[in-house]
Amino acid sequence: MTTTTVPRTQDLSEGALGMALLHIERRDMSTARRHLTRATAQGVSTGSNASLFHGAPALEFVLARAHGAGDDVRAAVDRVVDARLAAAHHRQATGALPHLAEWDLIRGLTGLAALLLSRRPVAPRLPDLLSSLVALARPAHGGSRMLPGWWSALGPDGKEMAGGHGNNGMAHGIAGPLSVLSLALREGVIVPGQEEAIGTFATWLDRHGTHYWSTAAHLGDDQPPQAEPSRQSWCYGQTGIARAQQLAALALEDTGRRRASEDTVATILTDPQQLARITDSTLCHGWAGLLTLTRAVAADSPDPARFAPIVRDLRRRLATDWEHLHKPGFLEGRAGAQLALHHAATSGWARALLLT
């Protein structure tokens, strides 16, 4: 299955694989097969770039929405998982800080755990993946000070950043591991230290979650500085983090945390100033992602009717704007927007966003 080329068609985010998701949800398997054929025409990556959003794991995720992932695809994914776990274990043994790509949702172990959590029966490698994410809750040495175990020596763009950073978002930050560990706990997949790690990540986000990411300067503050006004979205910001916090609360049976996370979503998405900062209709950082997120929050709330007006408003905004998107794909394009607008995720596509 391996190829030396890495065509963009293999991307779940913007390639043909992502567009196949829309047609699987529509049960238009003829069109879905055409996209899948295009995606796999030049082979499928099982290399270091393979992840939930690229290559063999992305292919398994899409095929599994149509109950069509075969043993050959799963075996290829298992090889990817083994390689990524070995690299993570080696890094942990050296005491070095991790790169975001080791463990985040888009490129790393969190995304692979989300994929394996969807397998039935439970994948034998899933506990090892979860344990590697639990290990991020252990403090790490950063020169003369202790740092969170998920701290990156580089900046969020992968470039040098004085003191590094701790990423907080759902796509590339600690909200992703928080979500997948919480989902696994709710489904009865439990490893040592899992509940404690969920508590560690959730408590960190209580303190730092108003920021897209935390800097070294934030670590020494009794209270981190107030965040500058920013766009709220699934990928970054308080709304995505609030869904992660709600999942944590449900897993730990923490009524206060659940109520606080739901209040955050309701407050932000009824605030005209917050809504004015949202400028597109994408799943990643626009109306489609917020709509999908709010539906998930409402479905797990004891008071779903509270979110009905918000869902109607978000759906109206998405319906009037999605056709202006220039890209055709899943995360930043029309396919993802149409999935959010017209389909209730019966195929389970929202698992790619760790919302369900």
Side-chain angles (χ1 to χ4, degrees), residues 287-318:
W287 302 120
L290 293 171
L291 175 59
T292 306
L293 182 154
T294 305
R295 284 173 171 158
V297 169
D300 280 329
S301 172
D303 184 16
R306 176 187 188 188
F307 297 94
I310 300 172
V311 167
R312 286 194 297 271
D313 179 58
L314 293 172
R315 194 179 188 284
R316 176 187 60 79
R317 293 173 186 271
L318 177 59

Side-chain angles (χ1 to χ4, degrees), residues 32 41 48 68 83 106-107 110 122 133 148 161 176 250 269 303 338-339:
S48 60
I106 301 296
R107 300 163 296 179
T110 296
V122 172
L133 296 174
M161 179 179 182
L250 292 166
L269 295 182
D303 184 16
Q338 289 177 84
L339 277 166

